[in-house]
Amino acid sequence: MDIVKSQVMELKKLWKNKRQLTFQALNLAMIVFSALMIWKGLMCITKSESPVVVVLSGSMEPAFQRGDILFLTNLDDPIRAGEIVVFKIKDRDIPIVHRVMKVHEKADGKIEVLTKGDNNRVDDRGLYAPGQLWLQREDILGRARGTLRYLGMVTIILNDYPVLKYVLIGVMGLFVLTNKES
């Protein structure tokens, strides 16, 4: 309880000192904008609109577990069978992480891709948009290039319990605002 009381006291002091409040608010904004710039920088380097994703299901076990963080690239080199790709289906918000089973290269250079989760019995045609039998290159967000095991469980827990997410963000913001530099 002493921590809460001291934070409330610091917040009251901060509210009285408008110059310090402005300084701390700018520090908080700098942290947020730095994170956004890092994300945008990763997007440019990897050529992927989502350079980091969290595995949300067990469909890729044993290769990836639920909660693994994947690092993606979306470079122009050809996609091959056996690679693990992250794709997004039209009118769905959540990307899917699955392995490429078949690649059809057309005469005009375009490719069509069929995917399947390692832990699934059938291919992904049932997941694709109605009438879609193959993924196009533009459906693919990137290829898995690296992983951090289980660290994405934090994201899953915060999405499953949104109140916890808002409390955590509020507490972190409070600490940033009330923290004094020595």
Side-chain angles (χ1 to χ4, degrees):
M1 278 320 267
D2 290 337
I3 293 173
V4 173
K5 286 180 184 177
S6 69
Q7 291 299 319
V8 169
M9 290 287 292
E10 287 296 324
L11 201 54
K12 286 179 182 179
K13 283 187 212 173
L14 190 60
W15 190 253
K16 290 177 185 174
N17 185 349
K18 299 300 182 193
R19 182 179 210 148
Q20 185 67 26
L21 177 64
T22 303
F23 178 74
Q24 293 298 87
L26 288 173
N27 274 342
L28 180 60
M30 196 167 52
I31 290 168
V32 170
F33 288 128
S34 294
L36 289 173
M37 287 188 319
I38 290 169
W39 184 259
K40 289 293 186 180
L42 283 173
M43 287 173 65
C44 289
I45 292 168
T46 63
K47 296 185 179 180
S48 175
E49 71 179 65
S50 187
V52 179
V53 295
V54 175
V55 177
L56 297 176
S57 74
S59 67
M60 279 302 293
E61 291 179 0
F64 299 117
Q65 308 294 320
R66 185 172 192 257
D68 288 354
I69 293 177
L70 300 181
F71 298 97
L72 308 179
T73 61
N74 196 18
L75 304 176
D76 294 332
D77 50 334
I79 294 175
R80 300 286 173 227
E83 288 186 309
I84 296 169
V85 296
V86 177
F87 59 93
K88 198 167 183 183
I89 303 298
K90 193 165 111 178
D91 298 330
R92 292 202 189 168
D93 294 332
I94 299 174
I96 300 170
V97 179
H98 281 172
R99 190 177 304 275
V100 174
M101 300 306 294
K102 293 180 184 174
V103 178
H104 286 195
E105 294 183 37
K106 294 184 173 186
D108 62 359
K110 293 193 177 190
I111 63 162
E112 294 180 329
V113 176
L114 180 65
T115 57
K116 176 185 170 294
D118 290 356
N119 204 20
N120 294 348
R121 294 180 185 202
V122 296
D123 62 41
D124 291 340
R125 285 189 172 134
L127 296 175
Y128 299 161
Q132 183 180 15
L133 298 177
W134 300 88
L135 292 175
Q136 306 302 314
R137 182 63 176 99
E138 55 270 9
D139 297 325
I140 296 174
L141 298 177
R143 289 177 241 195
R145 298 294 188 194
T147 183
L148 288 174
R149 297 288 183 184
Y150 304 112
L151 288 180
M153 285 306 288
V154 174
T155 301
I156 292 172
I157 290 168
L158 291 177
N159 282 332
D160 287 348
Y161 304 101
V163 171
L164 181 62
K165 176 173 36 178
Y166 298 122
V167 167
L168 189 62
I169 290 171
V171 168
M172 288 187 332
L174 180 67
F175 277 116
V176 168
L177 284 173
T178 59
N179 185 25
K180 288 186 177 178
E181 293 181 11
S182 302

